[in-house]
Amino acid sequence: MLLLFAIVMFAWEKVPLSVTSMIVCISLILFKVLEPAEAFAGFVNNNVILFVAMFIVGGALFETGMANRVGGVITKFAKTERQLIVSIMVIVGLMSGILSNTGTAAVLIPVVIGIAAKSGFARSKLLMPLVFAAAMGGNLSLIGAPGNLIAQSALQEMGMGFGFFEYAKVGLPILVVGIIYFAFIGYKFLPDTKGDADSVFNEVIDYSHVPEWKKKLSLVILVVTILAMIFEKQIGVQLHVIGSVGAILLVLTGVISEKEAYKAIDLKVIFLFGGTLALAKALEKTGAGASIAEAAMNALGDNASPFVLLFAIFMISAVLTNFMSNTATTALLVPISVSIAAGLGADPRAVLMATVIGGSLAYATPIGMPANTMVLSAGGYRFRDYVKAGLPLIVVATIVSMILLPILFPFFPS
């Protein structure tokens, strides 16, 4: 019942997603489905600590203007509209792989609007590729998007996990093919509109007052933190501890203040993450997740091939993510996917990888992810513009995924 409530509320979005998540979490306690300690366990999860730490580490790059400077590199390489689209997508895709994809988009939207004004190119031709690249780049690392860590939490419960760059095995080819697609075909589907002149993103923030040492040190600490995370096993320190060290160093060195560090933390994501982990626990404890998984498998038939199962799981994620938050979609489907894996005797890593990658394809609507909504008025877009430009990209990403997933993450490894 609460799962149905969550699905409806996540899709409807009249109540903030984080509030819906907490309503579900508290209701599970009130209805005696979970003990309070079980329901709130998600808020002391290692991955929540990692979220908080990386919001601060990434936030420092944004607060000092270093992210803005990196984005400004775009103008040095691009002379034509298509070159500009490719440059934007490369830089945004790579940045969102190690920073918040929403944060990366938010910082670079005014940069790209400024570039459009100087170059005379229509901003509507540039902003949509920017947010699509941010979504694709989120699948380059473990910390690229909230959904990645939701799946990681589920695997850790089973004593398993993904490596830091393991998502990139599928995510990087999707990003590369997506950029090539927009360079040669996709740019033709982008509308040519002026956009809202009163958009909040028209204002370019002046970072000239920020000392140069703060900008450089924010980048150094980010790079060192990421490198330490890559070599987590070699140095013997867990990801959330590494992230916390980086965040503390930024405050101690004065790169950002304590107040700015708190401001950088996206509490909506934290509450959404913690609350939906309670729902995942309830689905597991009550057997509801297994029942849903069984119904899904029965619908596909007893003799469904692994490829058909993969395609079905992937497409359910891809369709849902365009009508509710991509993070919410992943949070809802992860526990069900775990149950499907258990029922099939399949590798949970393979099923969850398909779920997460499918859940990231939120290109066909303005509500699939926050960055899509951010550029709606700034780019002067309509709903059909997302369908026209985003749907072919979903098809391209699906083809790449259906080729790579069975090879790299087979459901039934020999």
Side-chain angles (χ1 to χ4, degrees), residues 172-232:
L172 183 58
I174 288 176
L175 176 62
V176 170
V177 173
I179 292 171
I180 293 170
Y181 162 76
F182 265 105
F184 293 100
I185 301 170
Y187 76 95
K188 297 176 183 177
F189 299 128
L190 296 167
D192 189 351
T193 55
K194 288 185 178 180
D196 185 356
D198 297 322
S199 168
V200 294
F201 291 107
N202 286 341
E203 180 187 354
V204 178
I205 301 172
D206 180 18
Y207 293 103
S208 60
H209 66 283
V210 180
E212 194 64 26
W213 69 268
K214 285 190 176 184
K215 296 179 181 180
K216 291 179 178 176
L217 191 53
S218 70
L219 183 60
V220 169
I221 290 177
L222 170 69
V223 171
V224 172
T225 301
I226 297 300
L227 286 173
M229 288 180 169
I230 294 168
F231 296 104
E232 172 199 11

Side-chain angles (χ1 to χ4, degrees), residues 58-395:
L61 208 70
F62 300 138
E63 288 288 336
T64 60
M66 195 63 193
N68 191 282
R69 179 180 292 180
V70 172
V73 174
I74 297 168
T75 53
K76 295 180 181 178
F77 298 101
K79 302 301 177 188
T80 67
E81 189 177 72
R82 279 203 283 176
Q83 287 177 356
L84 199 51
I85 289 172
V86 170
S87 299
I88 289 169
M89 293 187 77
V90 168
I91 291 175
V92 172
L94 294 177
M95 284 179 66
S96 65
I98 53 173
L99 302 171
S100 155
N101 48 15
T102 302
T104 300
V107 166
L108 294 187
I109 286 168
V111 174
V112 169
I113 288 175
I115 291 169
K118 289 176 189 174
S119 64
F121 298 131
R123 64 172 68 171
S124 60
K125 294 280 190 180
L126 307 176
L127 291 176
M128 201 172 279
L130 183 155
V131 296
F132 290 168
M136 289 186 280
N139 285 329
L140 295 186
S141 77
L142 195 60
I143 59 174
N148 301 7
L149 284 173
I150 291 171
Q152 182 76 345
S153 293
L155 284 174
Q156 286 171 345
E157 293 283 324
M158 297 177 276
M160 305 169 75
F162 289 124
F164 190 80
F165 284 122
E166 201 151 7
Y167 285 105
K169 290 179 180 179
V170 182
L172 183 58
I174 288 176
L175 176 62
V176 170
V177 173
I179 292 171
I180 293 170
Y181 162 76
F182 265 105
F184 293 100
I185 301 170
Y187 76 95
K188 297 176 183 177
F189 299 128
L190 296 167
D192 189 351
T193 55
K194 288 185 178 180
D196 185 356
D198 297 322
S199 168
V200 294
F201 291 107
N202 286 341
E203 180 187 354
V204 178
I205 301 172
D206 180 18
Y207 293 103
S208 60
H209 66 283
V210 180
E212 194 64 26
W213 69 268
K214 285 190 176 184
K215 296 179 181 180
K216 291 179 178 176
L217 191 53
S218 70
L219 183 60
V220 169
I221 290 177
L222 170 69
V223 171
V224 172
T225 301
I226 297 300
L227 286 173
M229 288 180 169
I230 294 168
F231 296 104
E232 172 199 11
K233 289 183 171 62
Q234 286 83 350
I235 63 177
V237 181
Q238 292 180 299
L239 294 179
H240 66 287
V241 178
I242 294 169
S244 298
V245 171
I248 291 168
L249 281 175
L250 285 164
V251 177
L252 288 179
T253 55
V255 174
I256 56 172
S257 66
E258 180 187 11
K259 185 177 180 180
E260 287 171 329
Y262 290 140
K263 179 185 169 186
I265 299 168
D266 190 342
L267 289 176
K268 291 179 289 188
V269 172
I270 301 302
F271 281 113
L272 176 62
F273 188 89
T276 49
L277 283 183
L279 180 60
K281 180 67 177 177
L283 289 171
E284 176 199 343
K285 185 176 180 180
T286 62
S291 299
I292 294 168
E294 187 179 349
M297 287 185 290
N298 288 338
L300 291 169
D302 295 331
N303 300 314
S305 70
F307 185 83
V308 171
L309 292 168
L310 166 67
F311 184 72
I313 291 167
F314 186 90
M315 289 312 300
I316 289 169
S317 296
V319 171
L320 280 180
T321 195
N322 282 284
F323 296 98
M324 62 172 72
S325 156
N326 52 347
T327 305
T329 298
T330 309
L332 281 172
L333 292 180
V334 159
I336 295 170
S337 296
V338 169
S339 296
I340 288 174
L344 291 170
D347 181 358
R349 295 170 81 257
V351 180
L352 288 176
M353 182 61 73
T355 303
V356 172
I357 298 295
S360 69
L361 308 187
Y363 314 136
T365 69
I367 59 174
M369 56 184 176
N372 285 13
T373 311
M374 283 180 194
V375 297
L376 182 64
S377 62
Y381 298 123
R382 297 184 179 183
F383 193 99
R384 65 172 177 267
D385 292 327
Y386 289 87
V387 177
K388 191 176 177 182
L391 201 55
L393 184 59
I394 291 174
V395 173

